[in-house]
Amino acid sequence: MTTTVPALGTRTAEGSGLQAVLLDMDGTLVDSEGFWWDVEVEVFAGLGHALDDSWRHVVVGGPMTRSAGFLIEATGADIALADLTILLNQGFEDRIDRAVPLMPGAARLLAELAAQRVPTALVSASHRRIIDRVLTSLGPQHFALTVAGDEVPRTKPHPDPYLHAAVGLGVDPARCAVIEDTATGVAAAEAAGCHVVAVPSVAPIAPAARRTVVNSLEEVNLAFLHGLMATR
């Protein structure tokens, strides 16, 4: 867990039960889920294997070890998990060095949360080296802390990353709004006891208790998040 600006744990979002906003990165704030799949296709092509497009829904949003392990098993590729992880991370880094497009509404939402001094954390299954590169596009000043997938004992779909973020901000997970784009991330946030706003990127996500599904971050602002907490 890395703090990127002075801790905001003593600040709260006044006027509702909302204490903090915790945001996923890939596919939620940055349009990068396609990057990961493109890299996976390219790496496995180099190993002599073609990936079935239906597998994209299986590997999206998960930790690197799960996604890479699945692809090794599915293709029978002769490569160790550790070696494949290195290739995938390097390929992804090469792409994000060229461009990291933000999702529609992401810049506006981050600016609003910062302007209103709402404690905000970036919580990703990506490794620290990836997060730090993407932060140059997102603006590290927008986050009180960031949590990477290789910095917690268990990453998504386990609750550990979101529980770590809540502890780091000094807030109650039950009074946090989490914004996620995959079922894996939603499962992690819900297991931590957070309210969830799902913005599906690759695979559909159904509404449920303590879960609101929207089409885009363009639909999400601070008033929306206040209302979400007040009605649950």
Side-chain angles (χ1 to χ4, degrees), residues 32 35 91-100 130 133-134:
S32 55
F35 286 12
F92 188 74
E93 286 180 39
D94 290 344
R95 277 168 171 74
I96 62 177
D97 279 345
R98 294 195 291 268
V100 188
I130 298 295
R133 286 176 181 259
V134 176

Side-chain angles (χ1 to χ4, degrees), residues 53-105:
D53 195 61
S54 66
W55 296 342
R56 183 174 181 177
H57 298 290
V58 179
V59 301
V60 66
M64 174 73 72
T65 52
R66 190 197 73 183
S67 301
F70 168 83
L71 293 174
I72 289 174
E73 182 176 352
T75 60
D78 184 19
I79 187 171
L81 180 60
D83 294 334
L84 178 58
T85 297
I86 292 172
L87 291 177
L88 293 176
N89 271 323
Q90 185 58 59
F92 188 74
E93 286 180 39
D94 290 344
R95 277 168 171 74
I96 62 177
D97 279 345
R98 294 195 291 268
V100 188
L102 270 58
M103 298 297 286

Side-chain angles (χ1 to χ4, degrees), residues 135-212:
L135 275 172
T136 61
S137 296
L138 287 172
Q141 72 277 7
H142 290 121
F143 305 99
L145 62 85
T146 60
V147 179
D150 56 343
E151 295 174 341
V152 290
R154 303 178 303 173
T155 190
K156 304 172 187 180
H158 299 287
D160 304 38
Y162 284 111
L163 294 175
H164 272 66
V167 169
L169 292 176
V171 297
D172 180 358
R175 295 179 66 185
C176 292
V178 169
I179 304 179
E180 274 279 0
D181 73 303
T182 67
T184 299
V186 167
E190 291 180 342
C194 305
H195 295 259
V196 178
V197 177
V199 192
S201 61
V202 175
I205 299 173
R210 297 175 64 86
R211 182 195 310 166
T212 301

